[in-house]
Amino acid sequence: MAPVKVMAGAYPLARLSALSGAAILLAALLPGVGGVGRPEPQVVIITLRHSRFLPAHLTVRRGTPVRFVITNVDPIDHEFILGDEAVQRRHETGTEQEHGAVPGEVTVPAGSTRETTYTFTRPGRLLIGCHAPGHYNYGMRGWVRVVD
Amino acid sequence: MPRLFRSVGFVLLFVTAGASPALACAALIGPNGAVNLVRTTTLAGYHDGIEHYITSFSFQGGDGKFGSIVPLPGIPTKVERGGGWTLQRLIRETQPRREVRALLSSPASERDGVRVILETRIDALDITILEGGGAAVGRWARDHGFILPPDAPEVLDFYAGRSPIFMAARFDADAAKQRGQQIGDGTPIHLTIPVENPWVPLRILALGKQGGDLVQADVYLLTDIRPAFLPGPRRGMFLQYSAPASPELMRDLRSDKGMGWLPASGMWLTHLAINSAASDLTYDLAVDAGAGTWPSRQPGGIAPALAVGMILSAVWVTGLAWAWPR
Ligand SMILES: [Cu+2]
């Protein structure tokens, strides 16, 4: 599966690649306007379908604020939790029912759309996970690669 | 009606054994998300274009309400209490020396994209026949207290793509206790379903299970001729019995409540045991019980790649279950 790349900078900022066979369009990336000072957030559209992230793999440029617009088309609630292994472990064993206050962490009820904006400050790889009971082990996970 | 099902009867049966708590019909997801492993038995018969689908919901103890959702191949015209011994009699016929536990011990409105076709109460079971897409049925189930495991959206879509008809059975354990039902007591449900392409869900049995979890079920088929299957016996699916149904069996079955539709003789009895890892159970069962043609893959939910090398056709479906929260 090829990644969706979100490359901040001049233009264009995104490249969509073919994703997994079952996936439909999974992400749409809009170019940033690029104003003075802080860069405009890049928009990544993520669909939650059949307890999967579509797309599940992204590449972004360090320093880019990314606004994730997440639509859950399943009849069950999901979460979008962005973070390293420790964050995923904490949520897997945690008891928080709702997410939304922390950047990169949001609960997406069935049939709804939610947003969260996260700025990737360090190169490396972060994980995306849903920690509704059984979902992470089922395979509801992905990653974001952050590059310079 | 397709010729392969003309003048055909088939019977499908699941037996439950040893689940706790709640009812046992196919896979069960407990309120804590744990899966109760049960062995299921269901009987589905097909004769003159009518499928007779009989399954049993067995009280296995516990409190509160629990539920099960079973995909169906068509809209039932009748939902009633099944006969008291049909399932046990079939088991006895094919497993004479095997101890079987937890047998039956005794005898439309639009909403959220789901059409409620029929509602009825049988003993401590609230039965609802639904028509809708996978997501809509999932929403209905969630709104009615069912806990859906993470694979439910995909599995519901898998079934709704072929037949958007589902049976939701909600079992009130408290009511069962008040009725004096004991652990192991079952409520047989008999559905009469006019269908052109009957099928029996197997994949639903793996709902909510981990890939390595064992799925166990007994499927009985009574047909006018020796049937063909798609898929045929394979890893996790074993042909246990295949022989003409004895006159004694037919006499006994016909004497049970609601079983007069069975012909007096001339049927073929088949028993398939499912003893499969959940990850392998990605298909349903299609049966060609009439014209000697091969069943098509479509009613079995079988992908073309999986169908390569398979020889038979006709469909079976088993049940799916969720928990009704306490
Ligand atoms: Cu999820």
Side-chain angles (χ1 to χ4, degrees):
Chain A
M1 175 185 302
V4 171
K5 293 191 175 181
V6 186
M7 303 298 285
Y11 172 85
L13 301 172
R15 188 185 78 186
L16 274 175
S17 304
L19 301 169
S20 68
I24 314 186
L25 167 59
L26 316 179
L29 305 172
L30 306 180
V33 175
V36 177
R38 297 176 60 182
E40 285 289 311
Q42 308 303 300
V43 177
V44 174
I45 294 173
I46 292 191
T47 301
L48 310 183
R49 181 170 182 268
H50 292 173
S51 300
R52 308 281 182 195
F53 295 104
L54 305 173
H57 302 141
L58 307 164
T59 298
V60 306
R61 179 158 289 169
R62 181 162 69 100
T64 309
V66 176
R67 182 158 65 96
F68 292 96
V69 179
I70 307 150
T71 298
N72 179 5
V73 300
D74 277 342
I76 57 179
D77 297 348
H78 291 299
E79 297 174 344
F80 177 91
I81 303 294
L82 187 60
D84 58 17
E85 295 273 10
V87 167
Q88 303 300 333
R89 265 199 309 277
R90 179 165 57 80
H91 282 279
E92 186 65 10
T93 56
T95 56
E96 289 173 83
Q97 293 295 310
E98 283 286 329
H99 303 287
V102 177
E105 300 184 3
V106 65
T107 299
V108 190
S112 73
T113 297
R114 294 288 187 275
E115 297 184 10
T116 184
T117 299
Y118 189 93
T119 300
F120 296 88
T121 56
R122 284 186 291 187
R125 201 168 85 144
L126 290 180
L127 302 174
I128 305 169
C130 172
H131 299 281
H135 290 214
Y136 199 64
N137 282 338
Y138 178 66
M140 195 163 181
R141 56 178 79 186
W143 49 254
V144 179
R145 190 168 53 143
V146 186
V147 299
D148 279 321
Chain B
M1 181 193 321
R3 62 193 174 95
L4 78 157
F5 290 119
R6 202 171 296 144
S7 302
V8 170
F10 83 75
V11 174
L12 168 74
L13 176 80
F14 307 147
V15 179
T16 65
S20 175
L23 77 164
C25 172
L28 276 181
I29 310 297
N32 60 358
V35 177
N36 299 309
L37 298 177
V38 297
R39 189 172 192 93
T40 56
T41 301
T42 294
L43 163 69
Y46 191 80
H47 190 67
D48 287 340
I50 305 293
E51 178 169 339
H52 296 267
Y53 186 93
I54 301 172
T55 191
S56 175
F57 295 86
S58 208
F59 179 49
Q60 301 292 322
D63 300 313
K65 294 181 176 178
F66 301 88
S68 172
I69 291 186
V70 182
L72 300 175
I75 299 174
T77 56
K78 193 161 40 170
V79 179
E80 60 192 329
R81 199 180 200 288
W85 63 78
T86 289
L87 301 182
Q88 299 97 306
R89 181 64 184 82
L90 279 166
I91 294 164
R92 197 177 75 192
E93 183 76 4
T94 57
Q95 300 168 289
R97 289 178 299 279
R98 179 169 152 191
E99 181 184 359
V100 179
R101 298 171 53 211
L103 299 181
L104 306 179
S105 60
S106 60
S109 61
E110 289 285 347
R111 179 188 162 129
D112 291 332
V114 166
R115 185 163 71 103
V116 175
I117 295 171
L118 184 153
E119 290 178 292
T120 187
R121 182 165 180 109
I122 299 173
D123 295 352
L125 279 174
D126 286 314
I127 305 284
T128 306
I129 305 297
L130 300 165
E131 179 177 19
V137 169
R139 280 195 299 276
W140 183 94
R142 198 186 65 138
D143 292 346
H144 287 76
F146 287 81
I147 296 172
L148 303 183
D151 53 341
E154 183 173 2
V155 171
L156 288 175
D157 279 348
F158 171 82
Y159 284 109
R162 284 177 292 139
S163 172
I165 310 298
F166 295 84
M167 174 174 68
R170 286 171 286 171
F171 187 84
D172 188 335
D174 296 332
K177 283 180 184 171
Q178 287 174 3
R179 290 174 49 84
Q181 283 185 250
Q182 305 296 312
I183 289 177
D185 285 0
T187 301
I189 302 298
H190 181 167
L191 294 91
T192 302
I193 312 172
V195 291
E196 291 191 350
N197 293 294
W199 49 270
V200 176
L202 295 179
R203 182 180 178 183
I204 196 88
L205 291 177
L207 186 81
K209 290 183 163 61
Q210 302 291 313
D213 288 347
L214 191 62
V215 176
Q216 295 183 299
D218 289 298
V219 180
Y220 289 82
L221 196 63
L222 275 175
T223 53
D224 289 336
I225 64 168
R226 185 176 190 161
F229 307 93
L230 182 66
R234 60 207 316 270
R235 188 169 69 174
M237 179 191 288
F238 307 93
L239 182 62
Q240 301 287 82
Y241 189 94
S242 180
S246 68
E248 294 78 15
L249 173 66
M250 298 311 294
R251 187 193 60 223
D252 288 351
L253 293 182
R254 280 167 52 83
S255 66
D256 201 1
K257 176 176 176 282
M259 296 298 286
W261 58 270
L262 275 174
S265 63
M267 300 202 84
W268 190 277
L269 174 62
T270 306
H271 171 209
L272 283 168
I274 305 298
N275 207 19
S276 171
S279 57
D280 290 338
L281 203 55
T282 57
Y283 52 85
D284 291 327
L285 186 69
V287 179
D288 173 8
T293 56
W294 288 11
S296 71
R297 295 191 313 266
Q298 194 270 346
I302 298 162
L306 183 61
V308 172
M310 292 179 175
I311 306 173
L312 316 163
S313 94
V315 187
W316 288 1
V317 181
T318 61
L320 157 165
W322 289 299
W324 184 255
R326 302 172 188 209

